[in-house]
Amino acid sequence: MKVVLDHLTKRFPNRNKKGDDVIAVSDFTFEIPDGKLIGLLGPSGCGKSTTLNLICGLEPPTEGRIFFGDDDVTRLPPENRGVGLVFQNYALYPHLTVRENILFPLQNLKGKNKLPKAEMEERALAVAKLVQIEGLMERKPSEMSGGQQQRVAIARALVKMPKVLLLDEPLSNLDARLRLQTREEIRRIQKETGITTIFVTHDQDEAMSISDMIVVMKDGVVQQIGKPQDVYDNPVNLFVATFLGTPPINVFDGEIKGGMLYLGDQAVLPEPGIGDQQVIVGIRPEGFILDERGPFEVKLNRVEVMGRDTSVVSTHPASRNAQIRSIISARNKVDPGAETVRFSLIPDKTLVFSVEDGNEALWRETAAGDRNTP
Ligand code: ADP
Ligand code: MG
């Protein structure tokens, strides 16, 4: 089922009565393609949960409309929208078994939607198998791990065969290993069922790893929508660039002079096509090449060998961060006793942003034309 958000806005009166309204979601327009998994991503308070609440009908929008397929569902109550919901806290009924928890939404169906008992049992077992908890059907929630409980919550959301599945930070209560495993599971389940799914998280790694497309939000405003790799490679502004990537992008104050990019007094890269100006520069950790004759010289702090990779931690007067982190292959040996290290920079990994409000990306020209037109 395709989901269309058409100029959705949600304003809340300020909690301390005197202040301005809070614009939780501002003019959000997006056509979510059928059968895809969309990662809705952004820091706490940026409007992710409000967006989900608008889509499922728990909150009415202040402005704008929502369509499921061709149907305008903006005024439809949540129970008639055919959405499945999963939250951070699994919200299972503690006194019911897994089986009873999964059956619960079916037992509440009324009138013509009512199902025969045998069919309810059949469906409950089918979704339990899908999330691989069919062996735990007679347990109570307290007798299961967090990961298992979250699977039950997902099964319960799926048992009514929703047209749209909405997941609000579903992995936040799980420990690191379970988080990894469960996100792969969610991806598998989503692919197997083909349900259009919106997955909300503040964890960029999580969103990047399982989403067909990501939507990055800040202060209620959509910053960028695209395939995870495209957004990572070509962020539209400094906020998106810093929000995506672990370790994070290294940020510098720089200057463009006569077609060259300067960090301090070092001319580090040619920048054809960007006029002379002060800029902000982001260099991805993987954007550094160890190079004795490289133009970018940093003061070495320490070298951390992490198996496959070596992390070079350094400082530079133009850096906005206390430390610069460069990831290079562990085959490259860096003398940990050296005072300084020299790098050359990979152009695709060196991003230039305006110092003006919004810090928009400045695109350099390449032989093939513009590097990217977002
Ligand atoms: P997220 O899920 O991304 O953390 P939310 O959608 O929960 O963000 O909140 C977005 C903004 O809207 C926040 O500033 C929050 O304080 C505000 N907000 C959310 N719900 C309400 C409400 N019922 N009344 C007033 N403000 C709200
Ligand atoms: Mg939230």
Side-chain angles (χ1 to χ4, degrees):
M1 173 76 63
K2 164 180 96 173
V3 175
V4 180
L5 313 182
D6 181 21
H7 296 287
L8 269 193
T9 294
K10 180 67 184 181
R11 271 187 231 107
F12 289 110
N14 199 299
R15 279 177 180 138
N16 66 44
K17 299 207 168 59
K18 296 230 170 69
D20 292 336
D21 285 358
V22 176
I23 304 180
V25 177
S26 176
D27 198 23
F28 191 162
T29 293
F30 180 34
E31 182 171 321
I32 300 168
D34 179 34
K36 298 290 184 201
L37 194 160
I38 305 301
L40 189 54
L41 180 63
S44 176
C46 74
K48 305 181 295 294
S49 295
T50 305
T51 303
L52 279 203
N53 291 342
L54 295 174
I55 296 172
C56 73
L58 288 174
E59 297 270 9
T62 315
E63 283 158 40
R65 292 185 303 169
I66 303 164
F67 296 86
F68 284 5
D70 295 325
D71 298 333
D72 186 339
V73 300
T74 317
R75 304 279 154 224
L76 213 58
E79 59 273 19
N80 297 344
R81 291 195 188 188
V83 291
L85 281 171
V86 179
F87 298 103
Q88 172 177 347
N89 52 348
Y90 330 116
L92 302 175
Y93 299 106
H95 57 287
L96 299 183
T97 63
V98 168
R99 200 178 116 269
E100 290 161 342
N101 263 289
I102 299 175
L103 280 171
F104 194 83
L106 296 182
Q107 286 163 339
N108 273 354
L109 293 174
K110 302 262 152 44
K112 66 172 172 39
N113 294 325
K114 232 172 142 55
L115 295 174
K117 192 148 186 299
E119 190 178 341
M120 287 197 262
E121 292 285 351
E122 218 170 274
R123 275 220 221 161
L125 185 62
V127 290
K129 279 188 177 150
L130 184 68
V131 303
Q132 300 177 336
I133 46 159
E134 72 272 24
L136 307 174
M137 295 297 261
E138 299 314 318
R139 291 218 196 157
K140 295 272 174 66
S142 61
E143 298 162 346
M144 295 189 300
S145 72
Q148 290 167 334
Q149 291 185 52
Q150 195 55 300
R151 283 162 196 253
V152 179
I154 295 169
R156 192 181 51 182
L158 290 174
V159 77
K160 278 186 11 185
M161 300 183 185
K163 293 178 273 195
V164 180
L165 181 63
L166 305 175
L167 305 152
D168 194 349
E169 314 236 9
L171 309 179
S172 300
N173 283 353
L174 307 182
D175 65 47
R177 197 180 53 84
L178 259 180
R179 259 206 318 266
L180 276 180
Q181 191 190 340
T182 313
R183 80 185 190 199
E184 296 307 322
E185 283 290 288
I186 288 176
R187 182 51 162 166
R188 175 187 61 78
I189 293 162
Q190 192 273 330
K191 280 204 164 144
E192 277 182 39
T193 56
I195 297 180
T196 308
T197 299
I198 305 173
F199 180 99
V200 161
T201 177
H202 62 272
D203 180 339
Q204 54 90 24
D205 202 32
E206 209 164 273
M208 299 269 291
S209 61
I210 63 170
S211 306
D212 293 305
M213 289 179 101
I214 57 171
V215 177
V216 184
M217 290 182 83
K218 179 195 175 196
D219 298 339
V221 180
V222 172
Q223 306 290 302
Q224 192 166 3
I225 300 178
K227 291 190 181 141
Q229 191 66 43
D230 290 345
V231 179
Y232 180 83
D233 288 339
N234 298 300
V236 295
N237 59 32
L238 182 63
F239 172 81
V240 176
T242 11
F243 199 72
L244 300 186
T246 37
I249 197 164
N250 300 286
V251 182
F252 300 85
D253 289 303
E255 190 178 1
I256 309 271
K257 267 189 299 193
M260 283 299 289
L261 170 63
Y262 286 80
L263 294 176
D265 52 13
Q266 299 168 340
V268 294
L269 267 188
E271 282 295 353
I274 304 180
D276 288 6
Q277 59 191 294
Q278 302 292 323
V279 291
I280 301 169
V281 181
I283 310 176
R284 294 276 180 211
E286 68 275 22
F288 300 83
I289 300 168
L290 209 55
D291 179 355
E292 281 170 9
R293 299 196 193 158
F296 186 50
E297 187 178 43
V298 295
K299 193 161 165 295
L300 183 63
N301 270 14
R302 61 179 190 280
V303 179
E304 297 170 359
V305 181
M306 309 175 298
R308 202 163 28 114
D309 299 325
T310 296
S311 179
V312 180
V313 181
S314 64
T315 57
H316 185 277
S319 174
R320 284 194 172 191
N321 315 109
Q323 296 185 324
I324 305 161
R325 198 171 273 278
S326 321
I327 308 283
I328 57 174
S329 159
R331 277 186 309 234
N332 294 308
K333 296 282 177 271
V334 182
D335 171 11
E339 287 261 317
T340 62
V341 176
R342 299 191 81 96
F343 293 113
S344 50
L345 302 178
I346 301 174
D348 284 348
K349 298 289 182 184
T350 306
L351 310 172
V352 182
F353 302 94
S354 158
V355 294
E356 309 280 315
D357 242 16
N359 303 129
E360 283 177 21
L362 300 170
W363 309 108
R364 74 175 63 99
E365 281 168 13
T366 63
D370 282 352
R371 181 167 61 144
N372 187 310
T373 331

